[in-house]
Amino acid sequence: VYFTRNSYYKNKKFLSTTREMKLSIYIADVDENGEWNNIVPFPYNSNEYSNGHPTLSLDGKTMYFTSNMPGTVGKTDIFKVAIKETGTFTLPENLGGNVNTPGREMFPFIAADGTLYFSSDYHEGMGKLDIFKTDSDELELAAIQNIGEPFNSRRDDFAFMLSANLNEGYFSSNRPN
């Protein structure tokens, strides 16, 4: 399992030089009882920037994630790494200017059909963070589409995900009620 948690150092919250809590990605094995074992940090975690919101491609060979690491176009960008057969990772690759903007691109999700869903507060939307989609195989060329109502609103809408059959899913929002 790949997951995000706050950065800690010696069981204490780690605050960077800017006094901000940073996020880090971790990887764990899950046994038959649901216990998480062998928790290891993602090798590109840092005390100076955040990595978070990992999602895997359907074949499990690519991980997409959000970061504000050096080389970021905006406040946060979406990056990807290939996962080698040895369990190691290639260098992070920024998804580029078609997806990433001067704003915040966050919460990537790769659906079973290869569609990349993500949230942005800069692409033309209906509110603050809106949910967008594009073809994950043609990131530099494919159109970025706002998925519209009822998923997007004048508030923050994010963390969109679909089941494998693409017929049901979830998303988060800070809408009242």
Side-chain angles (χ1 to χ4, degrees):
V1 67
Y2 294 75
F3 65 97
T4 302
R5 73 176 177 198
N6 291 336
S7 294
Y8 284 83
Y9 180 72
K10 295 185 179 180
N11 294 325
K12 294 185 179 181
K13 290 181 183 178
F14 178 82
L15 300 177
S16 70
T17 54
T18 59
R19 306 287 303 154
E20 296 174 340
M21 175 60 75
K22 299 298 180 187
L23 301 176
S24 295
I25 296 172
Y26 291 85
I27 303 131
D29 296 326
V30 180
D31 68 20
E32 62 276 356
N33 297 320
E35 299 291 325
W36 293 24
N37 303 296
N38 306 318
I39 298 173
V40 296
F42 178 55
Y44 299 110
N45 288 341
S46 171
N47 293 334
E48 295 305 315
Y49 56 82
S50 289
N51 290 324
H53 317 300
T55 188
L56 296 179
S57 60
L58 193 58
D59 64 7
K61 294 181 179 179
T62 306
M63 181 179 76
Y64 295 80
F65 64 99
T66 302
S67 184
N68 61 345
M69 69 175 62
T72 301
V73 174
K75 293 177 182 174
T76 56
D77 283 0
I78 300 173
F79 289 80
K80 69 178 180 177
V81 292
I83 304 170
K84 300 178 187 178
E85 289 185 22
T86 59
T88 60
F89 300 89
T90 60
L91 291 173
E93 178 184 342
N94 189 300
L95 294 192
N98 191 35
V99 171
N100 293 316
T101 69
R104 295 181 301 158
E105 278 66 49
M106 308 173 75
F107 305 103
F109 173 74
I110 301 291
D113 65 358
T115 301
L116 168 65
Y117 291 89
F118 64 97
S119 290
S120 174
D121 66 359
Y122 196 87
H123 286 283
E124 188 169 333
M126 301 171 63
K128 297 176 181 179
L129 282 173
D130 274 3
I131 302 166
F132 295 85
K133 69 178 185 174
T134 192
D135 182 348
S136 67
D137 292 328
E138 299 290 333
L139 292 172
E140 286 300 319
L141 304 172
I144 304 295
Q145 298 175 310
N146 184 307
I147 67 169
E149 293 181 302
F151 304 104
N152 289 321
S153 69
R154 293 178 34 202
R155 303 298 290 260
D156 287 320
D157 304 297
F158 54 96
F160 183 85
M161 60 180 291
L162 291 169
S163 62
N165 66 12
L166 307 175
N167 289 330
E168 53 191 10
Y170 299 93
F171 71 100
S172 299
S173 180
N174 64 357
R175 301 172 199 187
N177 303 320

